[in-house]
Amino acid sequence: MHRALQIQDIIREICEHIFPTFEPIVSPNETLGPIPCVPDLDTSRTLLSMCMTCRAFSEPALDKLWWGIDDLWPLFKLIPALSPTGYLLRWPLTESDLAAFDHYATRVHFYHSKRRQSENLPLSTCIQIMQSRNEEALLPSLLYLRADIGTPDLHLLLSPSLRALYAPEGLAAGVAAADLQACVNSIPRAALNLQFLDIQIMEGERCLDAICATKNLKYLRLGSSLHRTLPLTPNFLEKLSTLPRLSKLIFLDSIQFPSAFPQPSPGEIFPSLESVAIHCRFSSVAQFNGFLSLGNFLRLKRLDIRIHNPQMIRSSEDLLWQSFFEILRRNTTAIFHSLSITTALPISTVVHGISISSIPDLFHLQLTDFEIGIPILQSVSYENILNMADSWPNLTRLVLTSHKPWNIDCEILTELANRLPHLRTLQIGVDAQRFSRVNHIPVLNHPLESLALCDSPIRSAIAFARLIDRIFPNVEVFEYSSEYLNAAQSKLWKDVDSFLHHFKGARQDQMRRISTDVRFI
């Protein structure tokens, strides 16, 4: 064997290429997701072949082969005292009985709890195994636990090594939900280093108290299971606001904020909180306002709100929306820079909408990322967009969505390019039939990377593509909405996209020819 293959670091790098360690925590997006962490059949066979090749390959390949599992039964089969039929221990366990189990159990870092043969294992057997191992957790090196089902042994998998618990789908009513809640109740004692919790629960103030007692929690995504209303008490919100390391907080589904919030704290609350997302089925803006009125969010940078109820966009809510932006401005600092207010409501359900002129506090924020949609807003005028550009000169992302044609001249694109030099993502609506002659459009070199335009009829695809190419020559992603346009108009928009690719390709070819000519001079 080549001496290079005797170096363990090289062998581990080879194994990493065979099965990359996909962690279920995606740091850049600060989210938890169902990223595959269990090797598939072909990958497992490859790793098994490496294990059996020679002793030098064995340990690194075994680490990868057992890094993630979705069934505990292969581990339990390594215990000779376990009956293969009744799943009971046939004699008291000894240290030698558990040697093989421990050899592989300590390699497991990710466990996906779903319907497998290990479900048939009695809880008493799991407890006996733990007692024989001096109360050590079944998987002592477990970092990430995903629970799609509830089993009685779920809370036995908790250990000080656990960093993330992911149970986002919500479990069925009955025993499964009770198992999950028992697991949550055990977290402060058994998984004291847990940092990421993504969970849906049915009910239970004890579960909420257990969450508040998890002092190392950095990420919390909390929803209500089976679409049942989960009321959050003032006491829970007050305790939650004291968690020292919580940096991202997401509320989902049928979570209900209290009708009466605690008195505003005179000092700082949520000392590390940087991002809040509220995607709940509230009936009034008052619940948003109550949460933001808890105190001063001195570290808050991002707020994401999703509206599910058309009652929140009625004339009776106008004053509450004004208060929302006033409270947001008052209780945040200059580091707050990202605001998103979106909805999936069809425009037919909205009879009013917010007037942007009625929320002057919006323009006192120092935003670099802003997203809001119609029908949340009544409409957006040319002057409104210019006001946004002047108020937020460091804007990098501007998304204004609409469910109806816009009546804004294409000149707004030139104005945004001149006033927002840092803009990288733009989604807006323009009247694609209203623009000056292309030769009158200034040639700019704006660094915009992504451009999306809403529904609008178009006359000449090549003329409009030339307009965009003169203003935003660096666009990598061009998207258009043609939901309310006929087939001929949709084809014209596709042609715009095609022309932009051709223009960019021709420009790159020209640059390559120029660089070649320079080398030969």
Side-chain angles (χ1 to χ4, degrees), residues 63 122 247 520:
D63 287 342
S247 62
F520 281 105

Side-chain angles (χ1 to χ4, degrees), residues 7 64-65 127 175 188 255 291 378 410 415 431 435 440 485:
I7 301 174
K64 281 294 183 181
L65 184 62
I127 293 175
V175 176
I255 280 184
F291 178 78
Q378 287 179 355
C410 290
E415 291 291 340
D431 185 346
F435 58 89
H440 294 168
L485 302 178

Side-chain angles (χ1 to χ4, degrees), residues 384-410:
N384 292 150
I385 297 176
L386 292 185
N387 196 6
M388 293 178 190
D390 292 337
S391 301
W392 311 317
N394 295 317
L395 208 61
T396 60
R397 180 174 177 268
L398 176 62
V399 177
L400 304 173
T401 57
S402 172
H403 297 279
K404 57 184 178 181
W406 290 64
N407 189 31
I408 295 179
D409 195 290
C410 290

Side-chain angles (χ1 to χ4, degrees), residues 218-479:
K218 292 182 178 179
Y219 175 107
L220 174 61
R221 188 173 185 261
L222 182 63
S224 58
S225 181
L226 302 176
H227 301 293
R228 297 189 181 185
T229 299
L230 177 66
L232 301 184
T233 64
N235 185 45
F236 167 74
L237 291 174
E238 192 170 0
K239 290 181 180 178
L240 191 68
S241 69
T242 64
L243 288 181
R245 303 182 66 187
L246 186 65
S247 62
K248 186 173 180 68
L249 178 60
I250 302 175
F251 294 116
L252 299 173
D253 305 317
S254 299
I255 280 184
Q256 192 70 35
F257 281 180
S259 55
F261 280 80
Q263 288 295 322
S265 171
E268 181 183 5
I269 60 172
F270 292 106
S272 300
L273 190 63
E274 297 182 355
S275 177
V276 175
I278 305 176
H279 300 169
C280 304
R281 304 179 187 280
F282 293 161
S283 59
S284 173
V285 185
Q287 294 194 292
F288 293 138
N289 296 351
F291 178 78
L292 291 174
S293 298
L294 286 172
N296 296 319
F297 295 80
L298 300 184
R299 302 289 186 274
L300 190 64
K301 298 178 181 178
R302 293 176 292 275
L303 177 62
D304 176 11
I305 287 176
R306 192 166 301 164
I307 295 174
H308 295 275
N309 194 325
Q311 293 182 9
M312 297 182 67
I313 318 174
R314 304 210 170 182
S315 57
S316 58
E317 298 283 304
D318 281 355
L319 292 178
L320 291 173
W321 276 112
Q322 293 177 29
S323 298
F324 168 83
F325 287 100
E326 191 274 328
I327 296 169
L328 181 63
R329 179 186 61 81
R330 185 181 68 236
N331 288 355
T332 57
T333 64
I335 66 172
F336 180 80
H337 62 80
S338 177
L339 176 62
S340 174
I341 305 177
T342 58
T343 181
L345 291 171
I347 193 169
S348 58
T349 64
V350 180
V351 297
H352 181 65
I354 311 164
S355 170
I356 199 166
S357 61
S358 67
I359 47 176
D361 285 291
L362 169 65
F363 298 100
H364 291 286
L365 300 172
Q366 299 180 31
L367 300 181
T368 61
D369 185 329
F370 181 61
E371 177 177 3
I372 195 167
I374 301 171
I376 299 174
L377 293 178
Q378 287 179 355
S379 62
V380 178
S381 67
Y382 190 98
E383 291 72 23
N384 292 150
I385 297 176
L386 292 185
N387 196 6
M388 293 178 190
D390 292 337
S391 301
W392 311 317
N394 295 317
L395 208 61
T396 60
R397 180 174 177 268
L398 176 62
V399 177
L400 304 173
T401 57
S402 172
H403 297 279
K404 57 184 178 181
W406 290 64
N407 189 31
I408 295 179
D409 195 290
C410 290
E411 185 186 344
I412 193 66
L413 298 177
T414 306
E415 291 291 340
L416 290 176
N418 288 325
R419 301 183 189 213
L420 299 174
H422 307 291
L423 195 64
R424 295 295 183 272
T425 300
L426 175 63
Q427 181 171 339
I428 198 174
V430 295
D431 185 346
Q433 301 181 102
R434 294 170 54 189
F435 58 89
S436 307
R437 290 185 178 183
V438 175
N439 293 335
H440 294 168
I441 303 295
V443 177
L444 305 175
N445 190 27
H446 194 280
L448 189 78
E449 299 170 354
S450 176
L451 175 64
L453 298 176
C454 301
D455 294 277
S456 172
I458 189 172
R459 290 177 183 171
S460 170
I462 189 168
F464 194 74
R466 287 181 61 199
L467 177 147
I468 295 175
D469 189 63
R470 290 173 75 93
I471 303 172
F472 302 120
N474 299 300
V475 167
E476 295 285 344
V477 178
F478 176 73
E479 297 175 341

Side-chain angles (χ1 to χ4, degrees), residues 12-142:
R12 293 188 185 280
E13 190 65 28
I14 293 172
C15 292
E16 181 69 22
H17 282 279
I18 295 173
F19 177 57
T21 306
F22 295 108
E23 295 190 358
I25 301 169
V26 185
S27 299
N29 298 325
E30 298 178 335
T31 59
L32 292 174
I35 297 175
C37 297
V38 179
D40 58 26
L41 183 60
D42 290 339
T43 304
S44 297
R45 286 172 175 169
T46 302
L47 292 170
L48 181 59
S49 297
M50 285 193 66
C51 294
M52 301 173 67
T53 299
C54 65
R55 187 171 298 176
F57 286 11
S58 179
E59 290 299 312
L62 280 175
D63 287 342
K64 281 294 183 181
L65 184 62
W66 286 90
W67 193 93
I69 62 174
D70 55 11
D71 189 5
L72 293 174
W73 183 240
L75 271 176
F76 290 129
K77 285 197 300 184
L78 299 172
I79 302 176
L82 188 65
S83 168
T85 54
Y87 305 102
L88 299 174
L89 295 174
R90 291 175 291 184
W91 61 77
L93 293 175
T94 64
E95 188 174 336
S96 60
D97 289 329
L98 292 169
F101 180 93
D102 290 337
H103 182 67
Y104 295 103
T106 53
R107 302 176 190 267
V108 179
H109 297 291
F110 174 86
Y111 176 57
H112 187 176
S113 174
K114 55 184 181 180
R115 297 199 175 277
R116 286 291 187 267
Q117 192 172 358
S118 57
E119 278 189 84
N120 300 319
L121 198 71
L123 180 60
S124 59
T125 300
C126 296
I127 293 175
Q128 282 181 275
I129 295 172
M130 289 186 64
Q131 290 174 339
S132 301
R133 301 169 69 244
N134 297 320
E135 305 297 334
E136 189 175 9
L138 289 176
L139 303 175
S141 301
L142 189 66

